[in-house]
Amino acid sequence: MLRPTYPIKTRRLALRPYAADDLDALFAIESRADVCKYLYWEPRTRAEVAADLERRMATTTLENEGDALRLAVTLLDTGELIGGVMLAWRSVEHSGGEIGFVLHPDHHGRGYAGEAAVQLLRLGFEDLGLHRVFARLDAANRPSGRLLERLGMRFEGRFRENEFVKGAWTDEAVYAMLAHEWRDLTEG
Ligand SMILES: CC(C)(COP(=O)(O)OP(=O)(O)OC[C@H]1O[C@@H](n2cnc3c(N)ncnc32)[C@H](O)[C@@H]1OP(=O)(O)O)[C@@H](O)C(=O)NCCC(=O)NCCS
């Protein structure tokens, strides 16, 4: 079980639960074609984002297998919402979790996604006690792959054309980190 204390502050960011007045900022991100290029969905309408925001607001703890923690990534200085991160509890038996992230393109290239994602790994390994955390992505999504490599996650493999997304077969890449690798990284 994971019930973090919010906000989670980093050097430049605060991660916090979503609130109803995040709709405009979330829509500004989720309605963009460039943001959705490597995601499973097409740019979302305002109504779709509003429905998704309701779900995000309800997922601030991990109680059971299958739960996914959804957090808004905001700038510490201004409070501006610049993206979102996700930590899912995929398996109790195998002690596995999954991470994901999306940033507004105006804020790419500054290390914000990495700064937020490290907190997901910390929550997963140190607070939830996971054994393995993985990330899955379209293998063509190099910005995301580079980010996972910077985090110290291992490239585990590329599954050729194993998903049919938006009318085309796509390769899926998997990256992962084990608890002892996290300890080596943070204590070593
Ligand atoms: C995936 C995504 C979050 C990565 O964003 P990003 O800005 O490239 O990642 P970071 O915030 O870690 O920034 C890293 C970049 O900032 C640069 N940078 C600048 N200042 C930095 C700092 N202080 N610390 C770390 N990196 C810094 C790095 O060199 C790196 O540049 P590079 O990728 O050209 O080598 C972004 O591309 C995105 O939102 N894409 C759309 C949604 C998506 O595809 N999500 C992933 C689904 S699997």
Side-chain angles (χ1 to χ4, degrees):
M1 184 178 309
L2 178 66
R3 293 180 177 162
T5 303
Y6 298 114
I8 297 169
K9 291 186 180 175
T10 67
R11 190 165 67 81
R12 299 174 295 174
L13 306 172
L15 311 189
R16 59 151 175 85
Y18 285 94
D21 62 1
D22 289 331
L23 180 57
D24 288 344
L26 194 58
F27 180 60
I29 297 171
E30 300 270 317
S31 59
R32 292 178 65 121
D34 52 358
V35 166
C36 299
K37 182 173 178 194
Y38 295 114
L39 305 182
Y40 289 114
W41 53 88
E42 300 287 0
R44 286 175 165 154
T45 64
R46 199 175 169 84
E48 287 170 339
V49 175
D52 192 40
L53 178 59
E54 289 285 324
R55 289 191 290 271
R56 292 184 191 215
M57 286 166 57
T59 51
T60 60
T61 62
L62 294 179
E63 308 285 335
N64 300 295
E65 178 175 289
D67 287 353
L69 189 71
R70 311 294 304 269
L71 298 177
V73 177
T74 65
L75 292 178
L76 200 51
D77 287 351
T78 62
E80 182 187 355
L81 188 155
I82 64 165
V85 288
M86 182 280 298
L87 170 66
W89 196 0
R90 291 297 180 212
S91 171
V92 170
E93 182 181 6
H94 306 298
S95 193
E98 178 177 2
I99 61 170
F101 29 71
V102 172
L103 273 200
H104 191 294
D106 286 356
H107 298 279
H108 288 180
R110 293 177 207 174
Y112 289 142
E115 196 168 314
V118 167
Q119 296 305 313
L120 301 177
L121 294 175
R122 186 185 59 73
L123 288 171
F125 287 122
E126 297 181 15
D127 296 353
L128 189 56
L130 293 176
H131 172 68
R132 177 175 180 266
V133 174
F134 67 93
R136 303 178 280 179
L137 60 151
D138 186 324
N141 189 352
R142 281 311 299 154
S144 184
R146 282 200 301 274
L147 165 57
L148 294 164
E149 285 156 17
R150 271 196 301 278
L151 287 170
M153 296 180 76
R154 263 175 306 96
F155 174 69
E156 294 206 320
R158 179 177 183 134
F159 298 79
R160 300 282 175 185
E161 298 193 6
N162 72 324
E163 291 191 319
F164 191 71
V165 184
K166 299 175 186 169
W169 289 106
T170 60
D171 290 3
E172 181 180 43
V174 174
Y175 286 79
M177 183 183 283
L178 298 171
H180 74 83
E181 294 171 321
W182 170 254
R183 280 197 301 275
D184 289 349
L185 207 69
T186 53
E187 293 168 12

